[in-house]
Amino acid sequence: MIKQIPFFTDLNEEEIKKLENISVLKNYKRDEFLFMEGEEAKWFNVLLKGTIKIYKTTPKGKEIFLHTITPISLVAELVNFENIPYPASGIFLSDSEVLRINYHKFETEFLQNPKICFKLLKSMASKLRIMNNVLQNELTLKSDAKVAKFIVENHELFSTLKHVQIASILNITPETFSRIITQFKQQNLIKFDDNLNLVFKDNEKLMNIFNV
């Protein structure tokens, strides 16, 4: 299984065995937390199956969505690398599977490998691009553009999340989300089946909404 994780494709058989000895494969249910804001980071996490929502909570208890993580991805690796508490929380949006690696031992035994370090840096750079995209969306996109962008980039989540959950992710009200979805259906930009699964989307026209 470890051989199938892109992050570890350059490891030899001996290194893979070492990694197995410091790792545990864990299954999670939807709505369980992988970590909570302020917790100490002891594990180096790799999401193998499922979806994780990363969000912060304001002092008044409001959730601020940051991004979703889908397989196969490292999760909050910057926290490990910087040795800081989690600055946000990670909750599962579906039943999921995570490879949890003892980070202290991983750092000692594997971060001497330049290929591993390079892939770790690439992954962290990718997360920085994601956060930049989040900030840009919040500062520049109107509600209909947020929904259109989410449909184009995360359409598979319409099969696993309730519309009220997607509205929360986009930081808009459920009523606003419902109105926009109705508008898009009337404009023949999207179609749903009887189970509310997204079965059609006009990517070109949807992209025109958020690329203006």
Side-chain angles (χ1 to χ4, degrees), residues 22-200:
I22 62 172
S23 304
V24 59
L25 191 62
K26 189 168 181 180
N27 292 306
Y28 291 88
K29 296 292 185 182
R30 176 178 170 176
D31 293 330
E32 282 192 85
F33 284 90
L34 179 60
F35 51 82
M36 297 188 72
E37 189 172 343
E39 283 185 351
E40 180 184 357
K42 297 180 180 179
W43 298 94
F44 187 59
N45 296 299
V46 185
L47 179 65
L48 302 179
K49 297 178 183 177
T51 307
I52 299 174
K53 178 177 78 171
I54 307 297
Y55 70 94
K56 286 187 69 67
T57 305
T58 69
K60 293 185 178 181
K62 180 183 177 181
E63 287 187 8
I64 300 175
F65 169 76
L66 299 178
H67 64 101
T68 55
I69 299 176
T70 55
I72 295 176
S73 300
L74 303 182
V75 183
E77 64 275 19
L78 181 61
V79 173
N80 299 119
F81 198 71
E82 292 289 331
N83 191 29
I84 58 175
Y86 287 107
S89 299
I91 190 171
F92 293 98
L93 297 178
S94 61
D95 292 351
S96 304
E97 186 176 65
V98 177
L99 181 70
R100 309 203 76 186
I101 304 168
N102 182 305
Y103 182 72
H104 177 71
K105 293 180 180 179
F106 178 80
E107 182 180 34
T108 301
E109 298 181 22
F110 288 93
L111 287 191
Q112 314 300 325
N113 185 325
K115 291 182 178 179
I116 291 290
C117 285
F118 179 70
K119 289 182 178 180
L120 180 59
L121 290 173
K122 283 185 65 177
S123 181
M124 289 191 290
S126 175
K127 296 298 193 315
L128 290 174
R129 287 194 297 272
I130 289 171
M131 291 310 304
N132 181 67
N133 190 42
V134 169
L135 290 173
Q136 182 180 14
N137 288 351
E138 286 301 309
L139 293 173
T140 64
L141 295 185
K142 295 181 179 179
S143 295
D144 60 342
K146 286 184 182 181
V147 176
K149 196 170 193 294
F150 187 88
I151 292 171
V152 170
E153 297 179 353
N154 302 280
H155 62 90
E156 70 283 351
L157 292 181
F158 275 85
S159 299
T160 59
L161 299 181
K162 296 179 180 179
H163 285 187
V164 66
Q165 292 175 300
I166 299 175
S168 175
I169 286 174
L170 296 176
N171 291 326
I172 61 179
T173 67
E175 293 77 15
T176 298
F177 181 81
S178 179
R179 175 180 55 79
I180 293 170
I181 289 295
T182 299
Q183 174 187 321
F184 286 175
K185 287 192 291 186
Q186 292 172 344
Q187 295 171 346
N188 294 318
L189 299 179
I190 56 175
K191 291 180 182 178
F192 292 89
D193 63 18
D194 293 338
N195 295 317
L196 296 181
N197 294 318
L198 185 66
V199 295
F200 168 79

Side-chain angles (χ1 to χ4, degrees), residues 1-4 8-23 110:
M1 180 270 297
I2 288 178
K3 291 181 180 179
Q4 298 173 0
F8 300 125
T9 51
D10 293 317
L11 298 183
N12 58 40
E13 292 297 327
E14 181 181 352
E15 290 171 325
I16 288 175
K17 186 63 178 178
K18 284 183 179 179
L19 188 57
E20 288 176 345
N21 291 336
I22 62 172
S23 304
F110 288 93

